[in-house]
């Protein structure tokens, strides 16, 4: 199973450079102490770090501790290799884990230490370890047994009892290979999940629609009236930016539409826009909020007013009208005169002119999870509703998510959905369900769900975890964050010191200091990553 490259990794350069700077002194010490094996690996990695396309060596160095509890040599090598080639290799495994296995002298992969057909002073094939997503405990090297419940309790109980985690908290840790729960405290008690709800939304959307599904925005011409209708297909990633960067472009749609109109001799149209794909209220129950635009099947750049593509920012009051207005401007630039756009509905008699489609749903899921994107989450909830014949509304999306997860046989006791983003404080999930969702995403029987794992933010590198874990398990923990007033949650995966892929979920309610609660959860995840608790 080839796991797609995590798109936001391309934007993680500054964090990667910091980590590479911090580990270079340790890399040198490791190479000296562990010759010839480590020396050979560093010779292979060196050209990639300094050669063409590699990272430039900044003049100043900063100390960045990397304390996941694993062997220092393995982590130093892992960090150096991650800086060159990113968090995943072509076989869908963390390069950090692969190189750590090599540093610990475990066998595996493309380079078994024999004659690889390369010169002694030339680069050698990268060694590899067993995939962390599938076939855990495979033939590449023997993975030790899963942690014991008692050993995990000894490590996690004191950390979860931190007063910063408020008056109520729950937790679960599951072995992804077997699906067996290894640790739990209140794991079947439903609490407000905040943005970890997006894990459920992702699983539901991918299972209902498929990882290759795309959302299409189109134009249609009513031949008898010369009314041009811009029809929203529910793509929240549609962009009006000059550089689309792989997302569907409103500018491209305008250009292609103008060309099609030109072929028909049409130079002036009545411009309308169709948002009838979605129904119900456009405003989330939280009201006008910088974290979510009014939900519409037609929007450009999520109605953002500052050119950003993630994070809270003031939104336009009417995303559809805003997108249609920009579209009119692009048509004008292409030689097509329009009226001021207004709402309408394309009829079945309208002639299709042009269309643009989003990247596959797998990409949308990754962007949603990495950036905790509420606009994408609510769009995917509605798309899930449409796929199951329900109204594309807040209520319909919530019902569709619950039904889809129940269809997958997941533990739904106590679960309650009211949106797709987790902004609704009435949402309820259990730690048991969150870990079950992650296990499902890692299952060999559901490869289409793998973007749920690849989209999780990487500690210290990407998305909502990019500024966290500077003194913890950077590059090792992958997790979805969740934060509301009085609520802090974290759910994701780690590979422990014994090579086991573990899924975890920590939920805390009634917290009073969000920073302290966040730090407590990060310490707990770091301890789990460093646990040799078999």
């Amino acid at each position: 199973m080839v796991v797609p490259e995590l798109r936001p990794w391309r934007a993680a350069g500054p964090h990667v450079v910091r980590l590479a700077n911090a580990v270079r002194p340790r890399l040198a010490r490791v190479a000296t102490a562990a010759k010839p094996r480590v020396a050979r690996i560093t010779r292979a990695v060196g050209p990639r770090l300094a050669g063409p396309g590699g990272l430039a060596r900044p003049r100043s160095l900063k100390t960045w501790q990397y304390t996941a509890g694993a062997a220092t040599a393995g982590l130093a090598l892992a960090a150096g290799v991650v800086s060159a080639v990113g968090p995943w290799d072509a076989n869908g495994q963390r390069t950090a884990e692969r190189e750590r296995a090599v540093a610990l002298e475990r066998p595996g992969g493309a380079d078994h230490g024999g004659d690889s057909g390369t010169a002694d002073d030339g680069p050698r094939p990268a060694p590899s370890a067993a995939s962390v997503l599938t076939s855990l405990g495979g033939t590449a090297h023997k993975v030790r047994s899963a942690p014991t419940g008692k050993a995990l309790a000894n490590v996690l109980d004191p950390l979860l009892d931190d007063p910063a985690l408020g008056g109520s908290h729950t937790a679960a840790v599951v072995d992804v290979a077997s699906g067996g729960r290894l640790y739990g405290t209140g794991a079947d008690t439903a609490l407000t999940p905040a943005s970890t709800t997006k894990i459920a939304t992702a699983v539901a959307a991918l299972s209902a629609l498929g990882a290759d599904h795309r959302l299409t925005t189109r134009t249609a011409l009513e031949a008898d009236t010369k009314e041009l209708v811009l029809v929203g297909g529910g793509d929240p990633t549609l962009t009006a930016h000059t550089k689309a960067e792989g997302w569907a472009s409103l500018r491209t749609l305008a250009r292609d539409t103008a060309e099609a109109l030109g072929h028909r001799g049409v130079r002036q149209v009545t411009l309308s826009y169709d948002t009838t794909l979605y129904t119900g209220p456009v405003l989330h129950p939280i009201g006008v909020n910088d974290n979510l635009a009014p939900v519409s099947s037609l929007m450009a750049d999520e109605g953002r007013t500052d050119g950003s593509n993630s994070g809270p920012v003031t939104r336009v009051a009417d995303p559809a009208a805003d997108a249609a207005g920009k579209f009119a401007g692009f048509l004008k630039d292409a030689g097509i005169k329009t009226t001021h756009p207004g709402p309408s509905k394309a009829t079945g008699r309208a002639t299709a002119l042009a269309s643009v489609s989003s990247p596959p749903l797998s990409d949308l899921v990754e962007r949603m999870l990495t950036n905790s994107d509420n606009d994408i989450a609510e769009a995917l909830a509605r798309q899930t509703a449409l796929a199951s014949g329900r109204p594309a509304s807040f209520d319909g999306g919530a019902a569709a998510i619950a039904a889809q997860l129940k269809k997958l046989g997941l533990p739904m006791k106590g679960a309650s959905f009211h949106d797709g983003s987790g902004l609704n404080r009435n949402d309820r999930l259990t730690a048991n369900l969150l870990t079950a969702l992650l296990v499902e995403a890692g299952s060999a029987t559901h490869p289409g769900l793998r973007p749920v794992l690849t989209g999780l933010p990487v500690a210290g590198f990407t998305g909502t975890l990019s500024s966290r874990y500077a003194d913890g398990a950077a590059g090792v923990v992958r997790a979805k964050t969740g934060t509301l007033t009085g609520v802090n949650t974290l759910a994701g995966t780690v590979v422990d010191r014994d090579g086991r892929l573990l899924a975890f979920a920590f939920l805390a309610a009634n917290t009073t200091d969000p920073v302290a609660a966040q730090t407590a959860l990060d310490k707990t995840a770091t301890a789990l990553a460093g646990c040799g608790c078999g």
Side-chain angles (χ1 to χ4, degrees), residues 338-408:
T338 75
T339 60
H340 184 75
S344 184
K345 179 177 173 59
T347 70
R349 301 184 304 275
T351 301
L353 291 185
S355 66
V356 290
S357 294
S358 72
L361 188 65
S362 56
D363 282 18
L364 272 62
V365 164
E366 288 184 336
R367 176 169 163 176
M368 174 187 71
L369 293 172
T370 299
N371 295 334
S372 198
D373 193 304
N374 298 303
D375 301 276
I376 295 178
E378 296 303 343
L380 295 189
R382 282 159 177 71
Q383 295 293 330
T384 304
L386 290 170
S388 59
R390 289 178 168 82
S393 62
F394 282 106
D395 289 343
I401 291 170
Q404 197 66 38
L405 300 187
K406 185 176 181 180
K407 184 178 178 180
L408 290 171

Side-chain angles (χ1 to χ4, degrees), residues 62-152:
K62 295 181 180 180
T63 301
W64 217 36
Q65 292 182 343
Y66 192 92
T67 53
T72 301
L75 289 174
L77 277 171
V81 174
V82 165
S83 71
V85 298
W88 299 95
D89 71 6
N91 294 319
Q93 64 189 80
R94 287 190 187 90
T95 52
E97 293 301 323
R98 179 192 68 195
E99 296 300 332
R100 177 174 177 266
V102 174
L104 295 176
E105 299 192 359
R106 292 174 178 167
D111 181 3
H112 293 272
D115 182 7
S116 60
T118 60
D120 290 340
D121 58 350
R124 294 180 178 274
S128 62
S131 169
V132 299
L133 297 182
T134 58
S135 303
L136 296 175
T139 58
H141 69 272
K142 183 178 181 181
V143 178
R144 294 179 60 182
S145 60
T148 66
K150 182 178 180 180
L152 283 175

Side-chain angles (χ1 to χ4, degrees), residues 152 156-157 160 169-175 180-189 430-436 438-439 490-494 502-507 524 528:
L152 283 175
L156 301 181
D157 282 351
L160 290 170
H169 65 263
T170 65
V173 177
V174 173
D175 178 29
R181 187 196 294 179
L182 306 175
Y183 172 85
T185 175
D188 298 313
T189 301
T430 65
N432 190 30
L433 175 57
L434 283 169
T435 51
L438 294 166
V439 169
L490 190 70
T493 64
V494 299
L502 308 178
F504 69 88
F506 307 138
L507 297 89
T524 307
L528 181 62

Side-chain angles (χ1 to χ4, degrees), residues 195 198 282-295 299 302-305 311-319 372-375 378 394 419 421-425 483-485:
S195 278
K198 294 181 177 71
V282 298
L283 278 182
H284 191 281
I286 61 174
V288 176
N289 193 283
D290 288 351
N291 288 294
L292 177 66
V295 183
M299 59 170 59
E302 300 177 342
R304 296 174 175 274
T305 56
V313 67
T314 302
R315 311 303 183 93
V316 298
D318 188 340
S372 198
D373 193 304
N374 298 303
D375 301 276
E378 296 303 343
F394 282 106
D419 63 6
S421 61
L423 290 172
N424 195 312
R425 301 183 69 86
T483 307
L484 293 171
T485 302

Side-chain angles (χ1 to χ4, degrees), residues 255-349:
R255 181 197 65 207
D256 293 348
T257 299
E259 183 178 346
L261 289 171
H263 289 327
R264 290 167 172 78
V266 177
R267 294 296 177 185
Q268 184 171 345
V269 295
T270 299
L271 181 59
S272 302
Y273 56 91
D274 183 346
T275 63
T276 58
L277 184 67
Y278 291 171
T279 61
V282 298
L283 278 182
H284 191 281
I286 61 174
V288 176
N289 193 283
D290 288 351
N291 288 294
L292 177 66
V295 183
S296 171
S297 62
L298 175 64
M299 59 170 59
D301 302 303
E302 300 177 342
R304 296 174 175 274
T305 56
D306 67 347
S308 64
N309 57 22
S310 65
V313 67
T314 302
R315 311 303 183 93
V316 298
D318 188 340
D322 173 70
K326 292 175 178 176
F327 185 70
F330 299 149
L331 284 176
K332 181 180 178 180
D333 293 341
I336 302 297
K337 185 178 180 180
T338 75
T339 60
H340 184 75
S344 184
K345 179 177 173 59
T347 70
R349 301 184 304 275

